Amino acid sequence: MFMKRLQQFFILAACLLVIAVAAVQRDGRLWGIPLFDAAKSAARNQADTLRVLDDGTVVISTAGLAKGVKGFGGPVPLEIYLKKGRVQQVKALPNSESPDFFQEASVLLSRWNGKTPEQALAMKVDGVSGATYSSRGIIGNMQVGLRYASRNVREASFFDKLDLRAKSIIGLVVVLMAAIIPLFVKNRRYRVFQLLLNFSVLGLWCGTFISWSVIIGFMSGGISVWVSLIPIVMLVTAFVYPLFGRKNYYCTHVCPLGSAQELAGMAYHRKWKMDRRTVQRLDRFRKLLFWVLMGLMLAGVWSQWMNYELFVAFIFQSATWTVLLMAVLFLLLSLFVPRPYCRFVCPMGSLFKLSSTKVTKWI
């Protein structure tokens, strides 16, 4: 028993090392400390929707929020800097606009300075004559970013480090229920109730889940404990519970996407019959997919595959149509095949399985 437990610890440590290497490879930093590749760190900062600087300035990037808001040449992403609840400055991120036209439209970037997000949203800002499309891109991105800021950014006083919004409190209660009650209660009615809570509260309302992008983001930027209590509980159920004999606990009892698939399966009882050989082939496909994606990630090649994990569909305001379509297709498939994404595709679930089992089973 001792040797088995020791082996689990070594495997978990190896998985964490892989995550750390991937964080450095993708973002150029580890636990918030910039390392050798400042360019990658800067590129990642541009992709972060919300980050907080050392002086407390909150930076909102519209790169992922306003993909559909375009100028003449394409998206016009911005960074909105907020300090003490007011717009301090606005910076333009790289775009494909004509430099001359965008230079003219850039005079708009200072129009919102000194305003709260609510005041800035109420402003009527006209575009620059001669640079209409670039102006529309800037104004549209500002509106999207300011709406996001008004919903998600608050002054970070000492007491305010605790996220006391109703959504966060209810989400924490739900994830604690999922983490504790199934350990003692084996009741089908309660399970259905918990699955509904996981899907509706943790998934659709809170948009909280564990994905490769999330854990690498934590590894590269660090975790703010007070505002990340829900994902921390999820991580405990995913990585710590298996050390005490609770394998696949997160996937089975907590994951919002797994819950959605199981609920879909309950709605239709006629399942497709899959022979053992087919199941084995699909399982081998999942393992092969996992190792291929790990290779790409560690080599720094196409780490964007993380953007296509189906968990992203819960943040449907910014999810791509490709992800949303795949999520719908897998939910429909769940009517006929129990938890198909979890069992035969999910790279995140594959990491959880690897961290709690023998490596020989994966070779």
Side-chain angles (χ1 to χ4, degrees):
M1 179 63 72
F2 172 77
M3 291 304 297
K4 182 179 179 181
R5 188 64 54 82
L6 186 62
Q7 183 187 46
Q8 284 185 301
F9 275 109
F10 277 120
I11 295 173
L12 177 58
C15 290
L16 293 177
L17 180 60
V18 169
I19 296 170
V21 172
V24 175
Q25 179 67 264
R26 190 189 73 171
D27 302 341
R29 58 186 180 181
L30 186 64
W31 211 250
I33 302 173
L35 298 179
F36 56 88
D37 197 336
K40 283 187 177 180
S41 181
R44 174 61 182 168
N45 283 344
Q46 291 182 359
D48 288 340
T49 299
L50 186 151
R51 69 183 195 276
V52 182
L53 304 183
D54 293 338
D55 65 354
T57 300
V58 176
V59 184
I60 303 293
S61 170
T62 66
L65 295 172
K67 295 178 181 178
V69 180
K70 300 180 180 180
F72 185 80
V76 187
L78 305 174
E79 282 188 336
I80 305 171
Y81 289 72
L82 297 161
K83 192 168 185 178
K84 296 182 179 180
R86 294 181 179 273
V87 178
Q88 185 183 43
Q89 63 175 324
V90 179
K91 292 182 179 180
L93 296 176
N95 58 64
S96 300
E97 296 297 281
S98 170
D100 293 336
F101 289 122
F102 192 76
Q103 183 64 33
E104 292 184 34
S106 294
V107 298
L108 295 174
L109 296 177
S110 61
R111 295 285 177 89
W112 296 272
N113 289 357
K115 302 291 192 298
T116 66
E118 292 75 17
Q119 291 172 340
L121 279 170
M123 291 173 57
K124 180 175 175 57
V125 178
D126 296 324
V128 175
S129 178
T132 304
Y133 290 100
S134 294
S135 298
R136 288 178 182 173
I138 291 174
I139 294 170
N141 272 265
M142 281 299 298
Q143 290 173 341
V144 171
L146 290 167
R147 280 196 293 269
Y148 180 89
S150 67
R151 293 194 305 266
N152 295 279
V153 177
R154 300 183 298 159
E155 274 300 292
S157 63
F158 176 77
F159 182 74
D160 211 29
K161 289 181 180 179
L162 276 174
D163 193 346
L164 298 178
R165 292 174 297 172
K167 177 170 68 173
S168 300
I169 294 173
I170 294 172
L172 182 59
V173 170
V174 170
V175 78
L176 287 173
M177 290 171 60
I180 297 172
I181 295 179
L183 295 173
F184 308 99
V185 176
K186 307 296 181 184
N187 180 282
R188 179 175 172 78
R189 289 185 178 179
Y190 174 75
R191 177 161 180 78
V192 173
F193 176 65
Q194 184 68 59
L195 292 174
L196 286 168
L197 289 178
N198 295 345
F199 170 60
S200 60
V201 177
L202 299 180
L204 293 178
W205 193 22
C206 297
T208 308
F209 44 79
I210 301 301
S211 66
W212 272 98
S213 182
V214 168
I215 61 173
I216 289 180
F218 283 155
M219 185 64 76
S220 66
I223 301 177
S224 177
V225 175
W226 299 114
V227 298
S228 304
L229 291 175
I230 299 175
I232 286 174
V233 173
M234 290 180 168
L235 287 169
V236 169
T237 62
F239 289 108
V240 179
Y241 275 32
L243 298 177
F244 299 93
R246 299 288 179 173
K247 293 183 179 180
N248 302 321
Y249 189 93
Y250 171 80
C251 299
T252 305
H253 298 287
V254 184
C255 177
L257 183 57
S259 299
Q261 292 174 83
E262 187 164 339
L263 288 169
M266 292 177 180
Y268 189 77
H269 298 290
R270 290 188 177 183
K271 306 302 181 194
W272 291 342
K273 293 183 178 181
M274 299 171 59
D275 58 47
R276 184 177 179 181
R277 182 174 296 181
T278 301
V279 173
Q280 289 176 340
R281 288 174 177 172
L282 290 172
D283 188 58
R284 284 197 292 269
F285 166 77
R286 174 178 61 83
K287 293 176 182 178
L288 176 62
L289 176 66
F290 175 77
W291 290 119
V292 169
L293 293 178
M294 293 306 97
L296 292 173
M297 180 178 67
L298 295 176
V301 180
W302 198 61
S303 60
Q304 290 87 352
W305 64 261
M306 300 177 202
N307 298 329
Y308 295 92
E309 288 185 275
L310 295 196
F311 308 105
V312 181
F314 284 114
I315 311 177
F316 50 86
Q317 298 93 334
S318 57
T320 64
W321 283 107
T322 302
V323 172
L324 292 173
L325 180 59
M326 287 194 300
V328 171
L329 290 176
F330 270 99
L331 283 179
L332 292 175
L333 186 59
S334 300
L335 295 171
F336 310 100
V337 179
R339 288 179 173 245
Y341 184 77
C342 300
R343 295 167 62 198
F344 305 126
V345 179
C346 185
M348 191 74 263
S350 294
L351 177 70
F352 297 152
K353 290 178 184 293
L354 177 60
S355 66
S356 60
T357 190
K358 293 181 179 180
V359 178
T360 53
K361 293 182 179 181
W362 282 78
I363 298 176

